[in-house]
Amino acid sequence: MIQFLLDSSHFIISGALVGVMVGMTGVGGGSLMTPLLTLIFGVSPTAAVGTDLAFAAITKGFGTAAHRFHGNVRWDIVRLLCIGSISTAILSILVLKYAGPVSKDWNHLISISIGISVLLTATSLLFRMKILRWVLENPHYLPTGKALRITTIVVGAVIGVLVTVSSIGAGAIGATLILLLYPHLKASEVAGTDIAYAVPLTALAGLGHWWLGNVHFDLLMGLLIGSVPAIWLGAKLSSVLSERATRTALAGTLFLVGVKLVSS
């Protein structure tokens, strides 16, 4: 066990750093973890995505239990998002499976998809409140009734592809879109609903990547050892530090990482 901790120390530290950011801002798990593994530690994009999905399914499972206990999950919205996201996640896994062995070009394509997802996450962090303010001032643009249900399913479908291919999208992007479609939800309901629908999505996508041989369990264990206590620490720090400042810093970091991934 001691030897495992020594051998995995760099992954444990990485998990801790990302965990602190997640605890402070509520986002940054996949959008930081996957680029960190690929850019800093040279983990292949497919292995980074598969391992991060398994990591997300476990950590978000604990988060869902907490939000369910406090009544913060809108299960009607979760159900619609899952109809879309699980369907496209299955299709994406099958495409990855039958596209054949992972080639250099395929790895490059996945790296670009990770970069695009990171840039979308950064954009959603920076402009979420401005977009929400516009939506609240122009409620007639919001879909209602059947149109709202269909739009929610479509949003889930798009996120299902992003998450399965890049492991990124279920956090900041998902929360922003839920908030835009349902602007009258409480912040706690947005967070609880976003985490709840991400659990079956990341679990299914993680199982799919395990089927493809893309989940590294030693790497996964190191990340979990570092991140679980660090998330608690980050939550404590969030009461001391300005959330706006930390979110802005995170968004700036993600923009730099996203540009690096897309241009590499």
Side-chain angles (χ1 to χ4, degrees):
M1 183 61 182
I2 295 177
Q3 187 61 44
F4 170 78
L5 293 175
L6 291 174
D7 293 341
S8 305
S9 59
H10 48 307
F11 295 126
I12 294 173
I13 294 170
S14 300
L17 293 173
V18 173
V20 168
M21 187 61 71
V22 171
M24 289 171 58
T25 65
V27 296
S31 54
L32 279 176
M33 187 70 78
T34 303
L36 184 68
L37 293 175
T38 55
L39 292 177
I40 304 300
F41 298 113
V43 177
S44 71
T46 51
V49 169
T51 304
D52 186 53
L53 284 168
F55 170 82
I58 294 170
T59 55
K60 289 179 185 291
F62 288 108
T64 298
H67 279 287
R68 181 180 181 181
F69 178 78
H70 292 290
N72 293 334
V73 180
R74 281 285 302 271
W75 294 107
D76 55 330
I77 301 174
V78 170
R79 182 168 58 252
L80 293 172
L81 290 168
C82 284
I83 290 173
S85 62
I86 290 178
S87 302
T88 53
I90 293 173
L91 289 175
S92 299
I93 287 294
L94 292 175
V95 169
L96 291 172
K97 172 67 175 178
Y98 293 106
V102 178
S103 63
K104 184 177 180 180
D105 290 338
W106 191 247
N107 261 326
H108 182 62
L109 180 63
I110 294 175
S111 292
I112 292 176
S113 72
I114 294 171
I116 292 172
S117 298
V118 168
L119 290 173
L120 289 173
T121 300
T123 302
S124 71
L125 283 172
L126 284 178
F127 300 107
R128 178 187 301 179
M129 297 315 298
K130 290 183 178 179
I131 296 172
L132 177 61
R133 192 178 304 118
W134 181 87
V135 168
L136 291 174
E137 292 172 354
N138 300 272
H140 52 284
Y141 286 108
L142 291 176
T144 58
K146 184 178 180 180
L148 178 58
R149 293 193 293 272
I150 293 174
T151 303
T152 305
I153 293 172
V154 171
V155 165
V158 173
I159 293 177
V161 175
L162 280 177
V163 169
T164 305
V165 175
S166 71
S167 81
I168 303 165
I173 298 174
T176 300
L177 293 175
I178 291 171
L179 191 60
L180 296 181
L181 290 175
Y182 303 90
H184 299 296
L185 290 182
K186 295 184 294 185
S188 58
E189 290 178 321
V190 173
T193 301
D194 181 52
I195 291 174
Y197 94 85
V199 172
L201 171 57
T202 53
L204 176 65
L207 285 172
H209 277 275
W210 171 75
W211 178 49
L212 297 174
N214 295 334
V215 178
H216 289 200
F217 289 97
D218 287 347
L219 170 57
L220 173 62
M221 185 60 65
L223 296 176
L224 287 171
I225 290 172
S227 65
V228 171
I231 291 174
W232 177 85
L233 175 60
K236 289 290 184 182
L237 289 174
S238 65
S239 62
V240 179
L241 301 175
S242 164
E243 181 183 0
R244 183 176 181 180
T246 54
R247 280 181 177 269
T248 302
L250 174 60
T253 301
L254 292 178
F255 264 119
L256 293 175
V257 170
V259 169
K260 172 66 176 176
L261 284 165
V262 171
S263 62
S264 60

